[in-house]
Structure formats: structure tokens, C-alpha cells
């Protein structure tokens, strides 16, 4: 069973995180202090860490920075009430793998945790992605479906890469916005719907099994065969 360390000083939030991770098959331990959290992260082999940005004892930025200095590569999902883009960038530059702003939905938390757990498994030097008969070459920057070349715009290529790297997992609209476009999700825009629609038309041709599915109320998932 994967193990999670929840470093969060707010008890209500911490219990919600522990419950949500537990519902998705993770054994979660909780600590409420930054220094204690750092000690636990260094001593125990966790598969993922959720880390509050502002903590007593030691700030979340300092915790993740110290982990990376000591070559601990456990995926870190930083959670913060600070929604400023500069804060998000600071957290990611310090060594965080993803950044979630409070308040957040349980589904959003679970989706991000699952993506981080999956992201840890592929080899870092992976340059070619394959999902069923869909291939993406990250070096030559080309895409094929059933051996036929696909013409993708740069944003479509990045979007497809993100979906393929997380094949089989639901990725939310906010995750797509942040990882493909690089800024916070604007609920009033339809840019994701437009790009998903274009991508579908290019990769899901007549007579082919559709690979991109919409998960109503959650996001999108690219099919995967193990």
C-alpha cells in the first residue's frame, strides 16, 4: 500500500486529506509541525508528501528545499491558501512537484496525488510515449496514430504529452491549465474545451477507437492498456 505523509497544521484540513487519500488506497500519516514533518520525511520511506505552505516550526518552502538538498525525491504536493502565481512558482522552484490552492475539492486533491504517484514511475530519460496505437516522440517532436503522422500545433502537442504521461488517470481542467498553459485556471474560459475538441478530431479518426474521454464534473482521461 502506498504511504503518504500529510504535513498540515490545520486539523480539519489534515483529517480531510487523510480521509481522501485513504479512500484512494493510501496509508496516510499526519504531522502538524514543519520540523517534525521534515524529520519524518527524511526517516521514513513515503511515496508522496502533501505539504502546507505555512507551518509552525519550519516553513513549507524550507521543508521542501531541505528535502531536495538531501536528495529526497519523494513527490511533494504543496498546499496553500496563497493563490498568488509568484507563490506557486516559488514553491515549485524550491522543489515542489505540484501546487494546490485552498480551498480545494477532494477530487482535485486525489487526482493530483494519483498523477504524482504515477509520474514517479517512468524513467526520467523517457523520450517516446505510447498509448495503444498512439505514439509521441519528444525528441523528433512528432506524433503518430496507427502509423499515420498527425499534424499538431505546439499547444496541442504539449496537451497530448500531458495526457499521455498521465494515461489512465483523470486529469482535471485546473491541472491541464497549470501544466500546459502555466497559469491558474479561469473558470470563465473555454480554451481547454476548444483544444481538447481539436485534439480529438486529429487523433480520433473515423473508425478508430476514441482515446480521449470526458469525465463529467472532473476532467479528461486518455485510455491506457497495461
Amino acid at each position: 500500500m502506498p504511504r503518504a505523509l500529510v504535513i498540515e497544521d490545520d486539523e480539519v484540513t489534515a483529517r480531510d486529506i487523510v480521509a481522501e487519500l485513504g479512500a484512494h488506497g493510501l496509508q496516510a500519516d499526519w504531522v502538524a509541525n514543519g520540523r517534525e514533518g521534515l524529520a519524518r520525511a527524511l526517516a521514513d520511506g513515503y511515496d508522496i508528501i502533501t505539504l502546507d505552505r505555512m507551518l509552525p516550526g519550519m516553513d513549507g518552502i524550507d521543508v521542501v528545499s531541505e528535502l531536495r538538498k538531501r536528495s529526497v525525491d519523494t513527490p511533494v504536493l504543496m498546499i496553500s491558501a496563497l493563490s498568488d502565481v509568484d507563490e506557486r512558482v516559488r514553491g515549485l522552484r524550491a522543489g515542489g512537484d505540484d501546487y494546490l490552492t485552498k480551498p480545494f475539492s477532494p477530487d482535485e486533491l486525489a487526482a493530483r496525488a494519483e498523477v504524482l504517484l504515477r509520474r514517479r514511475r517512468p524513467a526520467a530519460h523517457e523520450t517516446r510515449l505510447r498509448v495503444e496505437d498512439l505514439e509521441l516522440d519528444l525528441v523528433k517532436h512528432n506524433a503518430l496514430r496507427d502509423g499515420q503522422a498527425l499534424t499538431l500545433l505546439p499547444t496541442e502537442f504539449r496537451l497530448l504529452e500531458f495526457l499521455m504521461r498521465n494515461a489512465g488517470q483523470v486529469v482535471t481542467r485546473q491541472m491541464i491549465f497549470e501544466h500546459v498553459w502555466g497559469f491558474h485556471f479561469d473558470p470563465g474560459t473555454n480554451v481547454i474545451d476548444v483544444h481538447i475538441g481539436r485534439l480529438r478530431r486529429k487523433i480520433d479518426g473515423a473508425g478508430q477507437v476514441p482515446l480521449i474521454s470526458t469525465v463529467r464534473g472532473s476532467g479528461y482521461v486518455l485510455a491506457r492498456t497495461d
Side-chain angles (χ1 to χ4, degrees), residues 157-225:
F157 190 93
R158 293 196 302 271
L159 175 57
L160 183 56
E161 178 186 353
F162 183 66
L163 292 172
M164 292 182 74
R165 285 193 181 280
N166 300 293
Q169 298 291 340
V170 176
V171 291
T172 67
R173 291 166 58 83
Q174 183 172 341
M175 291 166 67
I176 292 172
F177 228 105
E178 292 178 0
H179 288 274
V180 177
W181 277 267
F183 52 91
H184 286 297
F185 173 62
D186 177 2
T189 182
N190 69 341
V191 66
I192 294 177
D193 304 299
V194 170
H195 279 80
I196 287 287
R198 290 175 179 169
L199 194 57
R200 276 183 168 139
R201 288 192 291 273
K202 291 183 178 183
I203 72 170
D204 294 338
Q208 293 179 314
V209 176
L211 293 182
I212 299 176
S213 300
T214 301
V215 181
R216 182 170 296 180
S218 297
Y220 303 93
V221 62
L222 188 75
R224 179 177 125 225
T225 54

Side-chain angles (χ1 to χ4, degrees), residues 15-108:
R15 293 190 182 281
D16 287 344
I17 295 173
V18 168
E20 186 63 25
L21 295 178
H24 285 78
L26 282 79
Q27 176 188 328
D29 299 327
W30 168 45
V31 296
N33 179 284
R35 291 196 180 279
E36 183 183 352
L38 176 61
R40 291 287 294 274
L42 291 171
D44 297 326
Y46 288 100
D47 298 289
I48 188 170
I49 297 168
T50 70
L51 175 63
D52 190 26
R53 166 66 176 82
M54 302 176 72
L55 290 163
M58 188 175 190
D59 183 82
I61 293 288
D62 295 330
V63 171
V64 71
S65 296
E66 191 63 26
L67 288 174
R68 299 314 186 218
K69 286 179 185 176
R70 301 195 190 191
S71 300
V72 176
D73 63 354
T74 306
V76 174
L77 172 57
M78 300 197 72
I79 300 176
S80 177
L82 303 173
S83 60
D84 186 85
V85 173
D86 290 339
E87 279 295 330
R88 178 179 183 271
V89 170
R90 186 182 175 202
L92 296 178
R93 284 180 176 171
D97 296 277
D98 200 356
Y99 193 99
L100 182 59
T101 304
K102 297 178 182 178
F104 54 84
S105 71
D107 287 345
E108 185 77 22

Side-chain angles (χ1 to χ4, degrees), residues 140-169:
K140 296 180 180 179
H141 210 75
N142 58 31
L144 301 173
R145 175 84 197 263
D146 194 24
Q148 300 298 311
L150 304 174
T151 302
L152 301 180
L153 298 174
T155 302
E156 294 167 348
F157 190 93
R158 293 196 302 271
L159 175 57
L160 183 56
E161 178 186 353
F162 183 66
L163 292 172
M164 292 182 74
R165 285 193 181 280
N166 300 293
Q169 298 291 340

